[in-house]
Coordinates of all heavy atoms in Angstrom, one line a residue:
M7 N -194.9 -172.7 168.7 CA -193.9 -171.8 168.5 C -193.3 -171.9 167.1 O -193.2 -173.0 166.6 CB -192.8 -172.0 169.5 CG -191.7 -171.0 169.5 SD -190.4 -171.3 170.7 CE -191.3 -171.6 172.2
S8 N -193.1 -170.8 166.5 CA -192.6 -170.7 165.1 C -191.2 -171.4 165.0 O -190.2 -170.9 165.7 CB -192.5 -169.3 164.6 OG -193.7 -168.7 164.6
K9 N -191.1 -172.4 164.2 CA -189.8 -173.2 164.1 C -188.7 -172.3 163.5 O -187.6 -172.4 163.8 CB -190.0 -174.4 163.3 CG -191.0 -175.4 163.9 CD -190.2 -176.4 164.7 CE -191.2 -177.5 165.2 NZ -191.1 -177.8 166.5
N10 N -189.1 -171.5 162.5 CA -188.0 -170.7 161.8 C -187.4 -169.7 162.7 O -186.3 -169.1 162.3 CB -188.5 -170.1 160.5 CG -189.6 -169.0 160.8 OD1 -190.1 -168.9 161.8 ND2 -189.8 -168.2 159.8
L11 N -187.9 -169.4 163.9 CA -187.3 -168.5 164.8 C -186.1 -169.2 165.5 O -185.3 -168.5 166.2 CB -188.3 -167.9 165.8 CG -189.3 -167.1 165.2 CD1 -190.2 -166.5 166.3 CD2 -188.8 -165.9 164.4
D12 N -185.9 -170.5 165.3 CA -184.7 -171.1 165.9 C -183.5 -171.0 165.0 O -182.4 -171.3 165.4 CB -185.0 -172.7 166.0 CG -185.9 -173.0 167.2 OD1 -185.9 -172.2 168.2 OD2 -186.6 -173.9 167.1
E13 N -183.7 -170.5 163.8 CA -182.7 -170.3 162.8 C -181.6 -169.3 163.2 O -182.0 -168.2 163.6 CB -183.3 -169.9 161.5 CG -182.3 -169.6 160.4 CD -182.9 -169.0 159.2 OE1 -184.2 -169.0 159.1 OE2 -182.2 -168.5 158.3
P14 N -180.3 -169.7 163.3 CA -179.3 -168.7 163.6 C -179.2 -167.6 162.5 O -179.4 -167.9 161.3 CB -178.0 -169.5 163.7 CG -178.4 -170.9 163.7 CD -179.8 -171.0 163.1
I15 N -178.9 -166.4 162.9 CA -178.7 -165.3 161.9 C -177.4 -164.6 162.3 O -176.8 -164.8 163.4 CB -179.8 -164.3 161.9 CG1 -180.0 -163.7 163.3 CG2 -181.1 -165.0 161.5 CD1 -180.7 -162.4 163.2
S16 N -176.9 -163.8 161.4 CA -175.7 -163.0 161.7 C -176.1 -161.5 161.6 O -176.8 -161.2 160.7 CB -174.6 -163.3 160.7 OG -174.2 -164.6 160.8
I17 N -175.5 -160.8 162.5 CA -175.7 -159.3 162.4 C -174.3 -158.7 162.3 O -173.4 -159.1 163.0 CB -176.4 -158.8 163.7 CG1 -177.8 -159.3 163.8 CG2 -176.3 -157.3 163.8 CD1 -178.5 -158.9 165.1
T18 N -174.2 -157.8 161.3 CA -172.9 -157.2 161.1 C -172.9 -155.8 161.6 O -173.8 -155.0 161.3 CB -172.7 -157.2 159.6 OG1 -172.7 -158.5 159.0 CG2 -171.3 -156.6 159.2
M19 N -171.9 -155.6 162.5 CA -171.7 -154.3 163.1 C -170.2 -154.0 163.2 O -169.4 -155.0 163.3 CB -172.3 -154.2 164.5 CG -173.8 -154.2 164.5 SD -174.5 -154.0 166.2 CE -173.8 -152.5 166.8
P20 N -169.8 -152.8 163.3 CA -168.4 -152.5 163.5 C -167.9 -153.1 164.9 O -168.7 -153.1 165.9 CB -168.3 -151.0 163.5 CG -169.5 -150.5 162.8 CD -170.6 -151.6 163.1
K21 N -166.7 -153.6 164.9 CA -166.2 -154.2 166.1 C -166.2 -153.2 167.3 O -166.5 -153.5 168.4 CB -164.7 -154.7 165.9 CG -164.6 -156.0 165.3 CD -163.1 -156.4 165.2 CE -163.0 -157.7 164.5 NZ -161.6 -158.1 164.5
G22 N -165.9 -151.9 166.9 CA -165.9 -150.9 168.0 C -167.2 -150.7 168.6 O -167.3 -150.6 169.8
A23 N -168.3 -150.8 167.8 CA -169.6 -150.6 168.4 C -170.0 -151.8 169.3 O -170.6 -151.6 170.4 CB -170.7 -150.5 167.3
L24 N -169.6 -153.0 168.9 CA -169.8 -154.2 169.7 C -169.0 -154.1 171.0 O -169.4 -154.5 172.1 CB -169.5 -155.5 168.9 CG -170.5 -155.8 167.9 CD1 -170.1 -157.0 167.0 CD2 -171.9 -156.1 168.5
L25 N -167.8 -153.6 170.9 CA -166.9 -153.4 172.1 C -167.6 -152.5 173.1 O -167.6 -152.8 174.3 CB -165.5 -152.9 171.7 CG -164.4 -153.0 172.7 CD1 -164.2 -154.5 173.1 CD2 -163.2 -152.4 172.1
V26 N -168.1 -151.4 172.6 CA -168.8 -150.5 173.5 C -170.0 -151.1 174.1 O -170.3 -151.0 175.3 CB -169.3 -149.2 172.7 CG1 -170.3 -148.4 173.5 CG2 -168.1 -148.4 172.3
L27 N -170.8 -151.9 173.3 CA -172.0 -152.6 173.9 C -171.5 -153.6 175.0 O -172.2 -153.8 176.0 CB -172.8 -153.3 172.8 CG -173.6 -152.4 171.9 CD1 -174.1 -153.2 170.7 CD2 -174.6 -151.7 172.7
F28 N -170.5 -154.4 174.7 CA -170.0 -155.3 175.6 C -169.6 -154.6 177.0 O -170.0 -155.1 178.0 CB -168.7 -156.1 175.1 CG -168.1 -156.9 176.1 CD1 -168.6 -158.2 176.5 CD2 -167.0 -156.5 176.8 CE1 -168.1 -159.0 177.5 CE2 -166.4 -157.3 177.8 CZ -166.9 -158.5 178.1
E29 N -168.9 -153.6 176.9 CA -168.4 -152.8 178.1 C -169.6 -152.3 178.8 O -169.7 -152.4 180.1 CB -167.5 -151.7 177.7 CG -167.1 -150.8 178.9 CD -166.4 -151.6 180.0 OE1 -165.8 -152.7 179.7 OE2 -166.5 -151.2 181.1
Y30 N -170.6 -151.8 178.1 CA -171.9 -151.3 178.8 C -172.6 -152.4 179.5 O -172.9 -152.3 180.7 CB -172.8 -150.7 177.7 CG -174.1 -150.3 178.2 CD1 -174.3 -149.4 179.2 CD2 -175.3 -150.9 177.6 CE1 -175.6 -149.0 179.6 CE2 -176.5 -150.5 178.0 CZ -176.7 -149.6 179.0 OH -177.9 -149.3 179.5
L31 N -172.8 -153.6 178.9 CA -173.4 -154.7 179.5 C -172.6 -155.2 180.7 O -173.2 -155.6 181.7 CB -173.8 -155.8 178.5 CG -174.8 -155.4 177.4 CD1 -174.8 -156.4 176.3 CD2 -176.1 -155.1 178.0
A32 N -171.3 -155.3 180.5 CA -170.4 -155.8 181.6 C -170.4 -154.9 182.8 O -170.5 -155.3 183.9 CB -169.0 -156.0 181.0
R33 N -170.4 -153.6 182.5 CA -170.4 -152.6 183.6 C -171.8 -152.7 184.3 O -171.8 -152.6 185.6 CB -170.2 -151.2 183.0 CG -170.2 -150.1 184.1 CD -169.7 -148.8 183.5 NE -170.3 -148.4 182.2 CZ -171.5 -147.8 182.0 NH1 -172.2 -147.5 183.0 NH2 -171.9 -147.5 180.8
S34 N -172.9 -152.8 183.6 CA -174.2 -152.9 184.2 C -174.3 -154.2 185.1 O -174.8 -154.1 186.2 CB -175.3 -152.9 183.2 OG -175.3 -151.7 182.5
Y35 N -173.7 -155.3 184.6 CA -173.8 -156.5 185.3 C -172.9 -156.4 186.6 O -173.3 -156.8 187.7 CB -173.2 -157.7 184.5 CG -173.1 -159.0 185.2 CD1 -174.3 -159.7 185.5 CD2 -171.9 -159.5 185.6 CE1 -174.2 -160.9 186.2 CE2 -171.8 -160.7 186.3 CZ -173.0 -161.4 186.6 OH -172.9 -162.5 187.3
G36 N -171.7 -155.7 186.5 CA -170.9 -155.6 187.6 C -171.6 -154.7 188.7 O -171.5 -155.1 189.9
S37 N -172.3 -153.7 188.3 CA -173.0 -152.9 189.3 C -174.1 -153.7 189.9 O -174.3 -153.6 191.2 CB -173.6 -151.6 188.6 OG -172.6 -150.8 188.1
W38 N -174.8 -154.4 189.2 CA -175.9 -155.2 189.7 C -175.4 -156.3 190.7 O -175.9 -156.5 191.8 CB -176.6 -155.9 188.5 CG -177.6 -157.0 189.0 CD1 -178.8 -156.7 189.5 CD2 -177.4 -158.4 189.1 NE1 -179.4 -157.9 189.9 CE2 -178.5 -158.9 189.6 CE3 -176.3 -159.2 188.7 CZ2 -178.7 -160.3 189.8 CZ3 -176.5 -160.5 188.9 CH2 -177.6 -161.1 189.4
R39 N -174.2 -156.9 190.4 CA -173.6 -157.9 191.3 C -173.2 -157.3 192.6 O -173.4 -157.9 193.7 CB -172.4 -158.6 190.6 CG -172.8 -159.5 189.5 CD -173.5 -160.7 189.9 NE -172.6 -161.5 190.8 CZ -173.0 -162.6 191.4 NH1 -174.2 -163.0 191.4 NH2 -172.2 -163.3 192.2
R40 N -172.7 -156.0 192.6 CA -172.3 -155.4 193.8 C -173.5 -155.1 194.7 O -173.5 -155.1 195.9 CB -171.6 -154.1 193.5 CG -170.1 -154.3 193.1 CD -169.4 -153.0 193.0 NE -169.8 -152.1 192.0 CZ -169.5 -152.2 190.7 NH1 -168.7 -153.1 190.3 NH2 -170.0 -151.3 189.9
I41 N -174.7 -154.8 194.1 CA -175.9 -154.5 194.8 C -176.6 -155.7 195.4 O -177.0 -155.7 196.5 CB -176.9 -153.7 193.9 CG1 -176.4 -152.4 193.5 CG2 -178.3 -153.6 194.5 CD1 -177.2 -151.7 192.4
G42 N -176.7 -156.8 194.5 CA -177.6 -157.8 194.9 C -177.1 -159.2 195.1 O -177.2 -159.7 196.2
G43 N -176.5 -159.8 194.2 CA -176.0 -161.2 194.4 C -176.7 -162.1 193.5 O -176.3 -162.4 192.4
E44 N -177.8 -162.7 193.9 CA -178.6 -163.7 193.2 C -179.4 -163.0 192.1 O -180.0 -162.0 192.3 CB -179.5 -164.5 194.1 CG -178.7 -165.4 195.0 CD -177.8 -166.4 194.3 OE1 -178.2 -167.0 193.3 OE2 -176.6 -166.5 194.7
P45 N -179.5 -163.7 190.9 CA -180.3 -163.1 189.8 C -181.8 -162.9 190.3 O -182.4 -163.8 190.9 CB -180.3 -164.1 188.7 CG -179.0 -164.9 189.0 CD -178.8 -164.9 190.5
D46 N -182.3 -161.8 190.0 CA -183.7 -161.4 190.4 C -184.2 -160.3 189.5 O -183.5 -159.3 189.4 CB -183.6 -161.0 191.9 CG -185.0 -160.7 192.5 OD1 -185.7 -159.9 191.8 OD2 -185.3 -161.2 193.5
E47 N -185.4 -160.4 189.0 CA -185.9 -159.4 188.1 C -186.0 -158.1 188.8 O -185.9 -157.0 188.2 CB -187.3 -159.8 187.6 CG -187.3 -161.0 186.6 CD -187.3 -162.3 187.2 OE1 -187.5 -162.4 188.4 OE2 -187.0 -163.3 186.5
A48 N -186.3 -158.1 190.1 CA -186.5 -156.8 190.8 C -185.2 -156.0 191.0 O -185.2 -154.8 191.2 CB -187.1 -157.1 192.2
T49 N -184.0 -156.7 191.0 CA -182.8 -156.0 191.2 C -182.0 -155.8 190.0 O -181.0 -155.0 190.0 CB -181.9 -156.8 192.2 OG1 -181.6 -158.1 191.7 CG2 -182.6 -156.9 193.6
F50 N -182.3 -156.4 188.9 CA -181.6 -156.2 187.6 C -181.9 -154.9 187.0 O -183.0 -154.5 186.9 CB -181.9 -157.3 186.6 CG -181.1 -157.1 185.3 CD1 -179.8 -157.6 185.3 CD2 -181.7 -156.6 184.2 CE1 -179.1 -157.4 184.1 CE2 -181.0 -156.4 183.1 CZ -179.7 -156.8 183.0
A51 N -180.8 -154.1 186.7 CA -181.0 -152.8 186.0 C -179.8 -152.6 185.2 O -178.7 -152.9 185.5 CB -181.2 -151.7 187.0
L52 N -180.0 -152.0 184.0 CA -178.9 -151.5 183.2 C -178.5 -150.1 183.6 O -179.4 -149.3 184.0 CB -179.3 -151.5 181.7 CG -179.6 -152.8 181.1 CD1 -180.1 -152.6 179.7 CD2 -178.3 -153.6 181.0
Q53 N -177.2 -149.8 183.6 CA -176.8 -148.5 183.9 C -177.3 -147.5 182.8 O -177.4 -147.9 181.7 CB -175.2 -148.5 183.9 CG -174.7 -149.3 185.0 CD -175.0 -148.8 186.4 OE1 -174.7 -147.6 186.7 NE2 -175.7 -149.6 187.2
P54 N -177.5 -146.2 183.2 CA -177.9 -145.3 182.1 C -176.7 -145.2 181.1 O -175.6 -145.0 181.5 CB -178.0 -144.0 182.9 CG -178.3 -144.4 184.3 CD -177.5 -145.6 184.5
P55 N -177.0 -145.3 179.8 CA -176.0 -145.3 178.8 C -175.5 -143.9 178.6 O -176.2 -142.9 178.6 CB -176.7 -145.9 177.6 CG -178.1 -145.5 177.8 CD -178.4 -145.6 179.3
D56 N -174.2 -143.8 178.3 CA -173.7 -142.5 177.9 C -173.9 -142.3 176.4 O -174.5 -143.2 175.7 CB -172.2 -142.3 178.2 CG -171.3 -143.3 177.5 OD1 -171.6 -143.8 176.4 OD2 -170.2 -143.6 178.1
A57 N -173.5 -141.2 175.8 CA -173.8 -140.9 174.4 C -173.3 -142.0 173.4 O -174.0 -142.4 172.5 CB -173.3 -139.5 174.0
G58 N -172.1 -142.5 173.7 CA -171.5 -143.5 172.8 C -172.2 -144.8 172.9 O -172.5 -145.5 171.9
E59 N -172.6 -145.1 174.1 CA -173.4 -146.4 174.4 C -174.8 -146.3 173.7 O -175.2 -147.3 173.1 CB -173.5 -146.7 175.9 CG -172.1 -147.0 176.5 CD -172.1 -146.9 178.0 OE1 -173.0 -146.2 178.6 OE2 -171.1 -147.4 178.6
R60 N -175.4 -145.1 173.8 CA -176.7 -145.0 173.1 C -176.6 -145.2 171.6 O -177.4 -145.9 171.0 CB -177.3 -143.6 173.4 CG -178.1 -143.5 174.7 CD -178.9 -142.2 174.8 NE -178.1 -141.0 174.7 CZ -177.4 -140.5 175.6 NH1 -177.3 -141.0 176.8 NH2 -176.7 -139.3 175.4
K61 N -175.6 -144.6 171.0 CA -175.3 -144.7 169.6 C -175.1 -146.2 169.2 O -175.7 -146.7 168.3 CB -174.1 -143.9 169.1 CG -174.4 -142.5 169.0 CD -174.7 -142.1 167.6 CE -174.7 -140.6 167.5 NZ -174.7 -140.2 166.1
A62 N -174.3 -146.9 170.0 CA -174.1 -148.3 169.8 C -175.4 -149.1 169.9 O -175.7 -150.0 169.1 CB -173.0 -148.9 170.7
L63 N -176.2 -148.8 170.9 CA -177.5 -149.5 171.1 C -178.4 -149.2 169.9 O -179.1 -150.1 169.4 CB -178.2 -149.1 172.4 CG -177.5 -149.7 173.7 CD1 -178.0 -148.9 174.9 CD2 -177.8 -151.1 173.8
W64 N -178.4 -148.0 169.4 CA -179.2 -147.6 168.3 C -178.8 -148.4 167.0 O -179.6 -148.8 166.2 CB -179.2 -146.1 168.0 CG -180.0 -145.4 169.1 CD1 -180.9 -145.8 170.0 CD2 -179.7 -144.0 169.4 NE1 -181.3 -144.8 170.8 CE2 -180.6 -143.7 170.5 CE3 -178.9 -143.0 168.9 CZ2 -180.7 -142.4 171.1 CZ3 -179.0 -141.7 169.5 CH2 -179.8 -141.5 170.6
R65 N -177.5 -148.5 166.9 CA -176.9 -149.3 165.7 C -177.4 -150.7 165.8 O -177.8 -151.3 164.8 CB -175.4 -149.2 165.7 CG -174.9 -148.0 165.1 CD -173.4 -148.1 164.9 NE -173.0 -146.8 164.2 CZ -171.8 -146.7 163.7 NH1 -171.0 -147.7 163.6 NH2 -171.4 -145.6 163.1
L66 N -177.3 -151.3 167.0 CA -177.8 -152.7 167.2 C -179.3 -152.8 166.9 O -179.7 -153.7 166.1 CB -177.5 -153.2 168.6 CG -178.0 -154.6 168.9 CD1 -177.3 -155.6 168.0 CD2 -177.7 -154.9 170.4
E67 N -180.1 -151.9 167.3 CA -181.5 -151.9 167.1 C -181.7 -151.8 165.5 O -182.6 -152.5 165.0 CB -182.2 -150.7 167.7 CG -183.7 -150.6 167.4 CD -184.3 -149.3 167.9 OE1 -183.6 -148.3 168.1 OE2 -185.5 -149.4 168.1
G68 N -181.0 -150.9 164.9 CA -181.2 -150.8 163.4 C -180.8 -152.1 162.7 O -181.5 -152.5 161.7
E69 N -179.7 -152.7 163.1 CA -179.3 -154.0 162.5 C -180.3 -155.1 162.7 O -180.6 -155.9 161.8 CB -177.9 -154.4 163.0 CG -176.8 -153.6 162.4 CD -176.7 -153.6 160.9 OE1 -176.8 -154.7 160.3 OE2 -176.5 -152.5 160.3
I70 N -180.9 -155.1 163.9 CA -181.9 -156.1 164.2 C -183.1 -155.9 163.3 O -183.7 -156.8 162.7 CB -182.3 -156.1 165.7 CG1 -181.1 -156.6 166.5 CG2 -183.5 -156.9 166.0 CD1 -181.3 -156.4 168.0
E71 N -183.5 -154.6 163.2 CA -184.7 -154.2 162.4 C -184.5 -154.6 160.9 O -185.4 -155.1 160.3 CB -185.0 -152.7 162.5 CG -186.2 -152.3 161.9 CD -186.6 -150.8 162.2 OE1 -185.8 -150.2 162.9 OE2 -187.6 -150.4 161.7
R72 N -183.3 -154.4 160.4 CA -183.0 -154.7 159.0 C -182.9 -156.2 158.8 O -183.1 -156.7 157.7 CB -181.6 -154.1 158.6 CG -181.8 -152.7 158.2 CD -180.5 -152.1 157.6 NE -179.5 -151.8 158.6 CZ -179.5 -150.7 159.4 NH1 -180.5 -149.9 159.3 NH2 -178.6 -150.5 160.2
T73 N -182.6 -157.0 159.8 CA -182.4 -158.4 159.7 C -183.6 -159.3 160.0 O -183.8 -160.3 159.4 CB -181.3 -158.9 160.7 OG1 -180.1 -158.1 160.5 CG2 -180.9 -160.3 160.6
L74 N -184.5 -158.8 160.8 CA -185.7 -159.6 161.2 C -187.0 -159.1 160.7 O -187.6 -158.2 161.2 CB -185.8 -159.7 162.7 CG -184.6 -160.3 163.5 CD1 -184.8 -160.3 165.0 CD2 -184.4 -161.8 163.0
P75 N -187.5 -159.7 159.6 CA -188.8 -159.2 159.1 C -190.0 -159.5 160.1 O -191.0 -158.9 160.0 CB -189.0 -160.1 157.8 CG -188.1 -161.2 157.9 CD -187.0 -160.8 158.8
E76 N -189.7 -160.4 161.0 CA -190.8 -160.7 162.0 C -191.2 -159.5 162.8 O -192.3 -159.5 163.4 CB -190.3 -161.8 163.0 CG -190.2 -163.2 162.3 CD -188.8 -163.4 161.6 OE1 -187.9 -162.5 161.6 OE2 -188.7 -164.4 161.0
I77 N -190.3 -158.5 162.9 CA -190.7 -157.3 163.6 C -192.0 -156.6 163.1 O -192.7 -156.0 163.8 CB -189.5 -156.3 163.6 CG1 -188.3 -156.8 164.4 CG2 -189.9 -154.9 164.0 CD1 -187.1 -156.0 164.3
F78 N -192.2 -156.8 161.8 CA -193.3 -156.2 161.1 C -194.5 -157.2 161.0 O -195.5 -156.8 160.4 CB -192.9 -155.7 159.8 CG -191.8 -154.7 159.9 CD1 -190.5 -155.1 159.5 CD2 -191.9 -153.4 160.4 CE1 -189.4 -154.3 159.7 CE2 -190.9 -152.6 160.5 CZ -189.6 -153.0 160.2
S79 N -194.4 -158.3 161.6 CA -195.5 -159.4 161.5 C -196.7 -159.0 162.4 O -196.5 -158.4 163.5 CB -194.9 -160.7 162.0 OG -195.9 -161.7 162.1
A80 N -197.8 -159.3 161.9 CA -199.1 -159.1 162.7 C -199.1 -159.8 164.0 O -199.7 -159.3 165.0 CB -200.3 -159.5 161.9
D81 N -198.4 -160.9 164.1 CA -198.4 -161.7 165.4 C -197.1 -161.4 166.2 O -196.7 -162.2 167.0 CB -198.6 -163.2 165.1 CG -197.4 -163.8 164.3 OD1 -196.7 -163.1 163.7 OD2 -197.4 -165.1 164.4
Y82 N -196.4 -160.3 165.9 CA -195.2 -159.9 166.6 C -195.4 -160.0 168.2 O -194.5 -160.6 168.8 CB -194.8 -158.5 166.2 CG -193.6 -158.0 166.9 CD1 -192.3 -158.5 166.7 CD2 -193.7 -156.9 167.9 CE1 -191.2 -158.0 167.3 CE2 -192.6 -156.4 168.5 CZ -191.3 -156.9 168.2 OH -190.2 -156.5 168.9
P83 N -196.4 -159.4 168.8 CA -196.5 -159.5 170.2 C -196.6 -161.0 170.7 O -196.0 -161.3 171.7 CB -197.9 -158.8 170.5 CG -198.1 -157.9 169.4 CD -197.5 -158.6 168.2
Q84 N -197.3 -161.8 170.0 CA -197.3 -163.3 170.3 C -195.9 -163.9 170.2 O -195.5 -164.7 171.0 CB -198.3 -164.0 169.5 CG -198.4 -165.5 169.8 CD -199.4 -166.2 168.9 OE1 -200.1 -165.6 168.1 NE2 -199.4 -167.5 168.9
L85 N -195.2 -163.6 169.1 CA -193.8 -164.1 169.0 C -192.9 -163.7 170.1 O -192.2 -164.5 170.7 CB -193.2 -163.6 167.7 CG -193.9 -164.1 166.4 CD1 -193.2 -163.4 165.2 CD2 -193.7 -165.6 166.2
I86 N -193.0 -162.5 170.5 CA -192.2 -162.0 171.7 C -192.6 -162.8 172.9 O -191.7 -163.3 173.7 CB -192.4 -160.5 171.9 CG1 -191.9 -159.7 170.7 CG2 -191.8 -160.0 173.2 CD1 -190.4 -159.9 170.4
A87 N -193.9 -162.9 173.2 CA -194.3 -163.6 174.4 C -193.9 -165.1 174.4 O -193.4 -165.6 175.4 CB -195.9 -163.6 174.5
E88 N -194.0 -165.7 173.2 CA -193.6 -167.1 173.1 C -192.1 -167.3 173.4 O -191.6 -168.2 174.1 CB -193.9 -167.7 171.7 CG -195.4 -168.0 171.5 CD -195.6 -168.4 170.1 OE1 -194.7 -168.5 169.3 OE2 -196.8 -168.6 169.8
W89 N -191.3 -166.4 172.8 CA -189.8 -166.5 172.9 C -189.3 -166.1 174.3 O -188.3 -166.6 174.8 CB -189.1 -165.8 171.8 CG -189.0 -166.8 170.7 CD1 -189.9 -167.1 169.7 CD2 -187.9 -167.8 170.6 NE1 -189.4 -168.2 169.0 CE2 -188.2 -168.6 169.5 CE3 -186.7 -168.0 171.3 CZ2 -187.3 -169.6 169.1 CZ3 -185.9 -169.0 170.9 CH2 -186.2 -169.8 169.8
K90 N -190.0 -165.2 174.9 CA -189.6 -164.9 176.3 C -189.8 -166.1 177.2 O -189.0 -166.5 178.0 CB -190.5 -163.7 176.9 CG -190.0 -162.4 176.4 CD -190.9 -161.3 177.0 CE -190.5 -159.9 176.6 NZ -191.3 -158.9 177.2
Q91 N -191.0 -166.8 177.0 CA -191.2 -168.0 177.7 C -190.2 -169.1 177.4 O -189.7 -169.8 178.3 CB -192.6 -168.5 177.4 CG -193.0 -169.9 178.0 CD -193.0 -169.8 179.6 OE1 -193.3 -168.7 180.1 NE2 -192.6 -170.8 180.2
H92 N -189.9 -169.2 176.1 CA -188.9 -170.2 175.6 C -187.5 -170.0 176.3 O -186.9 -170.9 176.8 CB -188.8 -170.2 174.1 CG -187.7 -171.1 173.5 ND1 -187.9 -172.4 173.5 CD2 -186.5 -170.8 173.0 CE1 -186.8 -172.9 172.9 NE2 -186.0 -171.9 172.7
L93 N -187.1 -168.7 176.3 CA -185.8 -168.4 176.8 C -185.7 -168.6 178.3 O -184.7 -169.0 178.9 CB -185.4 -166.9 176.5 CG -185.2 -166.7 175.0 CD1 -185.1 -165.2 174.7 CD2 -183.9 -167.4 174.6
T94 N -186.8 -168.3 179.1 CA -186.7 -168.5 180.5 C -186.9 -169.9 180.9 O -186.6 -170.3 182.1 CB -187.8 -167.6 181.2 OG1 -189.1 -167.9 180.7 CG2 -187.5 -166.1 181.0
S95 N -187.4 -170.8 180.0 CA -187.7 -172.2 180.4 C -186.5 -173.0 180.1 O -186.4 -174.2 180.4 CB -188.9 -172.7 179.8 OG -188.8 -172.8 178.4
N96 N -185.5 -172.5 179.3 CA -184.3 -173.3 178.9 C -183.1 -172.8 179.6 O -182.9 -171.8 180.0 CB -184.1 -173.2 177.4 CG -185.2 -174.0 176.7 OD1 -185.6 -175.0 177.1 ND2 -185.5 -173.4 175.5

């Protein structure tokens, strides 16, 4: 696994956009908890985003793209697979 991917980074976004993202994720989690209970890949779902939430998600995507050169790496699919495994095992 690439060691430099452990390095913390900062992403700068307007507080309002982050507030919208937080509310969207919290609302989705609340809906999921009412449906299911225990964490399970089959029952987890994000709520459909409204127009403001979509814009906030696009801003986050843009900030991530500007911040992480690894997105353009030839081994990007392998990096994603490794880090998914890393995140689920910790």
Side-chain angles (χ1 to χ4, degrees):
M7 185 178 315
S8 300
K9 298 262 187 229
N10 67 344
L11 294 182
D12 286 329
E13 175 188 348
I15 61 161
S16 296
I17 293 178
T18 303
M19 289 181 59
K21 281 184 180 180
L24 289 174
L25 194 61
V26 168
L27 288 173
F28 172 80
E29 177 58 27
Y30 172 60
L31 294 171
R33 182 171 42 87
S34 294
Y35 176 73
S37 293
W38 170 79
R39 289 291 295 171
R40 283 190 294 279
I41 293 169
E44 292 302 314
D46 182 310
E47 290 86 12
T49 60
F50 179 79
L52 294 173
Q53 296 294 304
D56 64 27
E59 292 162 344
R60 274 192 305 278
K61 285 262 193 170
L63 287 165
W64 292 337
R65 281 189 177 196
L66 178 59
E67 178 189 25
E69 287 302 315
I70 291 169
E71 187 173 1
R72 278 187 280 285
T73 305
L74 298 178
E76 290 84 3
I77 291 171
F78 305 104
S79 173
D81 64 344
Y82 176 73
Q84 180 183 348
L85 294 174
I86 295 298
E88 287 176 1
W89 269 87
K90 283 182 179 182
Q91 176 64 33
H92 175 75
L93 291 168
T94 56
S95 66
N96 290 326

